[in-house]
Amino acid sequence: MLIAHLADTHIGAIQYGLLEREEDFYSAFRKAIDKAIEEHVRLVLISGDVVDKPRLGGKPLRVLYHELKKLRDRGIDVVVILGEHDFKRVRGEEPILYLFADQGLVKVIGIGDRLYIKRNVDGYELLVAGVSKHRRNEIKHLLKKLQQLQSVSSNYSGKSVLMLHQGLKEVNPHAGEISVDNLPKNFNYYALGHYHVMNVGIRVGDRGIAAYPGSTEVLRVDELVKEVVLGTRKALTAEKGFLIVDLSGDEPIIHRVGIDVRPQFRIELDLKLFELKNILNTLANALAKLSIKPVLHIKFRGKIENTKQLDTLLSATVGKYVLTYRWEMEDSESISEHCTVPKDYFDMDKELHSIIVKELGSEELARLALDILEIVRSSTQEHQKVHELAELIDRKLLGDVK
Ligand SMILES: [Mn+2]
């Protein structure tokens, strides 16, 4: 009995505001669905963050419709749970996936009392249980539901799968929300979502295995974790795909299925302008050999004042061989050091504060806006920024008591 396990497909994501990066997400999804059909899976699970935002335009909706319909036309069921991107906590607002559920294209579980479905797949009795995303301050509710599911599955004689969209502390201690110990022990397979890097083979109990297929496309630079050589330099890239799980035997057997996505590279370079041009030219030669224009992320060690010159150099060398390049400097606090204007003459922060208070009409919101601004403007890495922003919003808007 073969099952395809996908997660974090983030349909509708538009990275860097580029049309190509919107299409890339559709193409990765299409490839995954086609591959799943080719491999004769009988069921497709998508463990949350199916879509990138709760409100989608016509294009992403049509892509979803066409791909899901391909599966339905072949009698392949699709079961999904909701990730934090699939729904907004606004009263009365419904997840877009309900539209596809109404059309019989997906089964949404893990919301309200609907925590599982039972199916006969290839002559096997199968229980598919799931709980949609719970935030840090809702973990108590999640654990209660997991307990409920533990008793459902212990009274079940067939094979069982549990779908969750949560971070395991064992995989990432900083981003983790629950630990393996919190999982009910008697499922055969734990189809997880939320972490965007593939992670296969986390043991649960005696015979259970938990796995993250990772996202089908690259959303953040911290997903580039595989070492490669680019030209003559070490670089990091991403591997994307999904999992095909065989539940026929005693223990699940997991096959990784790779999806070719647009290459992305992350490199670190010393900021020595006199040799930078040569280095970038060598890099450009390596990039020119790729059949698809990659996304290049450069982290410069050191700092310079004239970033315009650096930008010109980048666009003249690697510019035409990449879809886009993004760069950051390791240390970029130099600008304010050379400020000779006395502080009380014009205080930018004070000025900004009063403008925002006036605009938002609330001291509290203004402070939140300024906190957000500070994180966004900081020189820290992109993934760290996102992490800090998520923490801040959790804390301020959802009253996280961590
Ligand atoms: Mn996600």
Side-chain angles (χ1 to χ4, degrees), residues 53-275:
K53 34 194 170 279
R55 291 178 185 172
L56 289 182
K59 207 162 163 185
L61 287 176
R62 287 184 66 212
V63 171
L64 268 173
Y65 171 76
H66 283 291
E67 295 312 303
L68 294 172
K69 192 170 172 296
K70 265 197 229 166
L71 294 170
R72 188 184 61 186
D73 290 348
R74 289 161 177 82
I76 303 167
D77 273 343
V78 181
V79 183
V80 304
I81 56 169
L82 305 179
E84 65 269 31
H85 283 259
D86 296 306
F87 64 116
K88 220 179 199 168
R89 268 134 211 281
V90 175
R91 210 152 40 131
E93 191 155 320
E94 290 189 347
I96 203 104
L97 288 167
Y98 286 8
L99 175 69
F100 299 103
D102 287 348
Q103 293 172 310
L105 293 167
V106 298
K107 307 266 181 307
V108 182
I109 62 167
I111 279 286
D113 294 332
R114 197 171 193 218
L115 296 182
Y116 60 89
I117 55 168
K118 291 173 180 172
R119 281 279 179 286
N120 187 298
V121 183
D122 281 352
Y124 290 90
E125 291 300 323
L126 179 68
L127 171 79
V128 182
V131 185
S132 289
K133 175 71 177 186
H134 280 60
R135 289 168 200 271
R136 278 211 174 85
N137 55 330
E138 306 163 328
I139 293 301
K140 259 193 213 155
H141 302 287
L142 171 67
L143 296 182
K144 223 166 142 187
K145 285 175 185 166
L146 291 179
Q147 254 170 29
Q148 257 172 274
L149 288 173
Q150 163 129 356
S151 58
V152 173
S153 69
S154 58
N155 294 319
Y156 191 76
S157 56
K159 300 282 178 184
S160 56
V161 175
L162 177 63
M163 300 171 74
L164 288 177
H165 189 88
Q166 305 287 157
L168 282 180
K169 287 176 187 160
E170 284 81 356
V171 176
N172 183 337
H174 304 293
E177 298 142 336
I178 56 169
S179 53
V180 172
D181 283 343
N182 296 134
L183 299 172
K185 293 290 164 300
N186 42 7
F187 284 84
N188 296 100
Y189 183 67
Y190 301 77
L192 306 180
H194 187 50
Y195 287 154
H196 285 183
V197 176
M198 190 181 275
N199 195 316
V200 174
I202 307 148
R203 280 260 154 215
V204 186
D206 293 335
R207 286 194 309 198
I209 293 180
Y212 290 94
S215 58
T216 43
E217 243 291 353
V218 179
L219 282 121
R220 295 189 298 261
V221 69
D222 61 1
E223 294 166 35
L224 313 184
V225 291
K226 188 189 162 28
E227 281 188 28
V228 286
V229 175
L230 182 62
T232 54
R233 311 215 139 237
K234 253 202 237 160
L236 294 173
T237 192
E239 284 180 307
K240 291 295 166 190
F242 69 100
L243 304 170
I244 291 183
V245 185
D246 186 353
L247 283 176
S248 318
D250 263 2
E251 278 191 20
I253 299 167
I254 303 171
H255 305 274
R256 303 160 194 243
V257 184
I259 303 173
D260 287 330
V261 296
R262 181 187 300 280
Q264 299 213 19
F265 300 103
R266 183 177 168 189
I267 53 165
E268 282 190 24
L269 296 177
D270 285 324
L271 204 43
K272 292 175 188 151
L273 279 180
F274 59 94
E275 57 184 41

Side-chain angles (χ1 to χ4, degrees), residues 292-357:
I292 307 163
K293 284 187 175 184
V295 175
L296 182 65
H297 307 264
I298 307 173
K299 186 177 179 181
F300 288 113
R301 285 182 296 245
K303 55 185 174 185
I304 53 159
E305 300 294 314
N306 192 345
T307 57
K308 218 172 186 172
Q309 198 187 346
L310 185 59
D311 239 338
T312 311
L313 183 60
L314 281 167
S315 89
T317 50
V318 295
K320 63 178 160 205
Y321 303 113
V322 298
L323 175 70
T324 176
Y325 60 81
R326 333 289 304 175
W327 63 269
E328 59 175 355
M329 264 186 263
E330 200 170 48
D331 185 356
S332 56
E333 289 163 352
S334 58
I335 302 142
S336 59
E337 285 170 15
H338 300 282
C339 181
T340 49
V341 184
K343 256 221 140 135
D344 54 351
Y345 175 73
F346 179 79
D347 188 335
M348 184 65 185
D349 289 339
K350 239 187 196 165
E351 213 52 39
L352 207 55
H353 180 252
S354 67
I355 292 168
I356 295 174
V357 170

